[in-house]
């Protein structure tokens, strides 16, 4: 799939990538681009003793543990507490650090990441024309390039789980390349399989390919690190209803955008009437929901994914966080698309969800920082159906955690840790990221990623696809 030629030095690789950037603009052969791909490798798992941090376990029965340690072995959290002993472990000094579960992202069109901030200022250059207009010209390699950028940015920002809502699977190779980028990055992810962007709603999803992936998933998933789902189009066509039935037969969860615009209100009611709501369903946005719809979602056990920046930037409206939380619906937070959101800053997303909800309620105390932090960790994990394995620092769970450096200027005084994380923290404060027991960021730098080469590679890919799409 990907050439992992360790004999190419970073320096010469950069030179090669510059050449690739030039070739990419005129359409280099895929084989050549494949040769020039990164040799980045996922680091090995380590036994770790993360010592002396302020540990926010996000586990209700354990709470916060100041000056505590976390012991990680074989990709799992084996102990959390004071003065732990682990003689063979690598020690990570966590003094002056907040230690918390990795941030859980719940809906991201990862293939659009390299279209960052490309949604323009006039209707024909808005988000949908832009993503569809360029997305139709993507190659399978572009899916890989965008995926590598997205995963690197996510890990750098303290996100340890992403939900790749992939609505640009133009051939089976596109899915393979998108999955390969997730796999190589070391991040934990769900890959939800969708139709090509812009495709008519009555054309079915390639269920034969989805079935093939399902059957061979064990060879791709790195244990339980990667999971599979359906990026569903809703009940608008017979083809989409058949997709849903096929996904359920394969035992896959289903995720769907609903009630984005006022004109698409009633989407949840339609799914409920078709008998298709349930705990295996994740609803996205749900901005224009009636009280009956909120109640139907709660009764069904379905979850909700909210992306405040894209919802506001595109003019859908304000997320109904308070209504859905009051009904007991599991909520996760999401990036959606950097084409609109610009970046993948989950700290800013937490702050936005709190500020918008307090503004809607005209109430300083409507949504607390602690509650928002739950949505980005344990609540997000619950909303993805993964709370048995991630979302809190609980012995037995997978070792997905981050360290946030409180000695940087924007956090320096360190008052309430939850308030600090929601209101003050930024991706640059993320010192260390561990996913599945692998250290993917350490002392503020990504491990095993040549960032300069990655930037060159992504720019070359974007330049090529913009040229093919004639989208300048
Ligand atoms: Zn979306």
């Amino acid at each position: 799939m990907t050439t992992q030629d360790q004999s190419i030095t970073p320096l010469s690789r950069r030179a090669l990538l510059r050449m690739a950037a030039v070739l990419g603009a005129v359409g280099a052969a895929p084989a050549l681009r494949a040769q020039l791909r990164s040799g980045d490798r996922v680091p090995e798992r380590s036994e770790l003793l993360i010592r002396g941090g302020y540990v926010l376990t996000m586990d209700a029965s354990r709470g916060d543990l100041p000056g505590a340690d976390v012991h990680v072995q074989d990709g799992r959290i084996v102990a959390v507490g004071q003065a732990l002993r682990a003689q063979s472990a690598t020690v990570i000094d966590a003094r002056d650090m907040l230690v918390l579960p990795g941030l859980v992202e719940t809906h991201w069109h990862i293939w659009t990441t390299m279209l960052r901030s490309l949604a323009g200022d006039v209707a024909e250059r808005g988000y949908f024309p832009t993503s569809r207009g360029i997305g139709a010209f993507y190659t399978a390699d572009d899916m890989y390039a965008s995926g590598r950028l997205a995963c690197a940015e996510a890990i750098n920002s303290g996100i340890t789980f992403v939900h790749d809502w992939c609505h640009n699977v133009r051939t089976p190779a596109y899915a393979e390349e998108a999955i390969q980028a997730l796999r190589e990055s070391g991040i934990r992810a769900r890959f939800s399989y969708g139709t090509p962007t812009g495709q008519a709603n009555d054309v079915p999803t390639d269920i034969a390919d989805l079935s093939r992936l399902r059957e061979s998933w064990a060879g791709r998933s790195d244990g339980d690190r990667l999971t599979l789902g359906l990026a569903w189009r809703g009940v608008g066509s017979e083809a989409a209803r058949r997709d849903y039935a096929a996904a359920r037969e394969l035992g896959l969860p289903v995720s769907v955008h609903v009630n984005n615009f006022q004109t698409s209100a009633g989407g949840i009611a339609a799914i409920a009437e078709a008998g298709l709501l349930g705990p295996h369903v994740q609803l996205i946005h749900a901005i224009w929901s009636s009280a009956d719809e909120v109640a139907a979602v709660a009764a069904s056990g379905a979850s909700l994914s909210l992306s405040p920046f894209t919802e506001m930037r595109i003019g859908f409206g304000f997320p109904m966080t308070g209504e859905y939380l009051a009904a007991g619906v599991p909520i996760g937070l999401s990036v959606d698309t950097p084409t609109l959101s610009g970046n993948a800053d989950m700290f800013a997303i937490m702050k936005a969800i709190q500020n918008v909800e307090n503004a809607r309620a005209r109430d300083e105390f409507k949504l607390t920082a602690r509650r928002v932090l739950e949505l980005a960790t344990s609540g997000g994990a619950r909303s993805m159906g993964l709370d048995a394995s991630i979302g809190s620092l609980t012995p037995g769970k997978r070792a997905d955690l981050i360290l946030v450096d409180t000695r940087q200027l924007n956090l320096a005084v360190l008052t309430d840790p939850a308030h600090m994380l929601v209101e003050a923290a930024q991706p640059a404060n993320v010192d260390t990221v561990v996913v599945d027991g692998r250290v993917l960021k350490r002392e503020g730098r990504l491990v095993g990623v040549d960032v300069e080469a990655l930037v060159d590679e992504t720019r070359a890919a974007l330049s090529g696809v913009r040229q093919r799409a004639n989208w300048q």
Side-chain angles (χ1 to χ4, degrees), residues 6-17:
Q6 295 296 292
S7 67
I8 299 176
T9 66
L11 187 67
S12 68
R13 268 192 54 228
R14 276 201 290 279
L16 286 169
L17 282 160

Side-chain angles (χ1 to χ4, degrees), residues 107 109 127 165 167 257 284-285 307 336-337:
H107 139 246
H109 309 294
Y127 169 68
W165 215 99
H167 55 0
H257 294 80
I284 299 166
H285 303 314
S307 57
D336 191 356
T337 171

